[in-house]
Amino acid sequence: MKSTCVLAVLLSFLGLAPSSRAQVLSELSLPPNGANERAEIAHWIGLVKIMISYHSPNVHGATGADRTGHIWGELVPYGLFDQGLGPSRATPWRAGANETTTVSFSHDVRIEGKELKAGTYGLFLELDKTAPWTWIFSTNSTGWGSYQYDPKDDVLRVGVNPKDAPYTEFLNYGFDDRRRIRRLRSCSGKTSASLSRSKSPM
């Protein structure tokens, strides 16, 4: 069983819109949605600012049950799946918990050699048991989870091979060697899926 990699996590509550502020304040007075803590991490790579916003599930879950070895392919199914909620009947994983995980780029970039315009995108991940996992960047960045996922909103799909990594209890995102977004796996402990990014030529 694979697990996921982690780096430092930064929490940011500055400059929030009223609706976002209300969401954050509600999480401060109560256990964060299902104990999946809200997290943001931002990093500058040259002129490019990258920010990832997500909720962080953990291996043992809200009840404390040990789900080690039961994350990938079980709790998070392989391929596209029907969650029975919302209009979508074939969804990838939301790459986190609760609201759609988002990634923002201040400038145009290249992801695994493919062009991606500056902006904020919904970030999803489609797992495969025997083939590379697919990172999906979607123009739909405001839904709940992947319940509203529609492939017509995809602007970029890139395949990466998951790798074994040191165990981590909580899902984390981090930046490795300043040239990679290190995708750390929600829940499972020992799997990482990295994306290489570079500044888009002017």
Side-chain angles (χ1 to χ4, degrees):
M1 187 60 174
K2 297 176 178 176
S3 146
T4 325
C5 230
V6 197
L7 290 177
V9 175
L10 302 177
L11 296 177
S12 173
F13 303 109
L14 301 177
L16 295 171
S19 60
S20 298
R21 178 175 171 77
Q23 173 70 16
V24 170
L25 291 177
S26 71
E27 292 179 353
L28 292 178
S29 59
L30 298 171
N33 301 334
N36 300 310
E37 295 180 350
R38 183 186 182 92
E40 290 183 345
I41 183 167
H43 195 76
W44 290 86
I45 304 176
L47 297 176
V48 181
K49 181 181 181 181
I50 303 173
M51 177 176 284
I52 301 174
S53 300
Y54 63 106
H55 280 74
S56 180
N58 64 318
V59 174
H60 286 77
T63 65
D66 187 357
R67 301 183 291 186
T68 304
H70 299 283
I71 304 298
W72 314 121
E74 294 184 41
L75 183 63
V76 179
Y78 292 118
L80 300 177
F81 49 93
D82 183 359
Q83 300 179 83
L85 299 167
S88 181
R89 292 295 174 259
T91 68
W93 182 50
R94 71 186 79 184
N98 303 328
E99 295 98 327
T100 300
T101 295
T102 62
V103 59
S104 300
F105 302 97
S106 63
H107 295 68
D108 295 353
V109 295
R110 284 182 175 177
I111 304 293
E112 297 295 331
K114 298 180 180 180
E115 298 285 343
L116 185 63
K117 295 291 186 182
T120 298
Y121 300 94
L123 186 63
F124 302 98
L125 185 61
E126 181 181 348
L127 281 62
D128 192 291
K129 189 173 184 178
T130 58
W133 293 3
T134 302
W135 283 106
I136 301 170
F137 296 81
S138 170
T139 56
N140 184 354
S141 62
T142 59
W144 182 269
S146 51
Y147 302 151
Q148 294 83 31
Y149 172 77
D150 192 323
K152 70 177 176 56
D153 298 324
D154 295 355
V155 292
L156 181 64
R157 297 171 65 95
V158 292
V160 298
N161 291 311
K163 298 179 179 179
D164 291 339
Y167 176 86
T168 178
E169 174 66 20
F170 290 89
L171 167 68
N172 282 275
Y173 284 86
F175 297 89
D176 193 21
D177 74 17
R178 298 193 178 188
R179 291 187 302 251
R180 289 185 173 274
I181 299 174
R182 194 148 191 73
R183 168 58 214 152
L184 114 165
R185 191 74 339 267
S186 155
C187 299
S188 185
K190 293 185 180 176
T191 303
S192 68
S194 299
L195 287 173
S196 65
R197 75 135 286 278
S198 59
K199 181 180 176 182
S200 182
M202 304 298 283

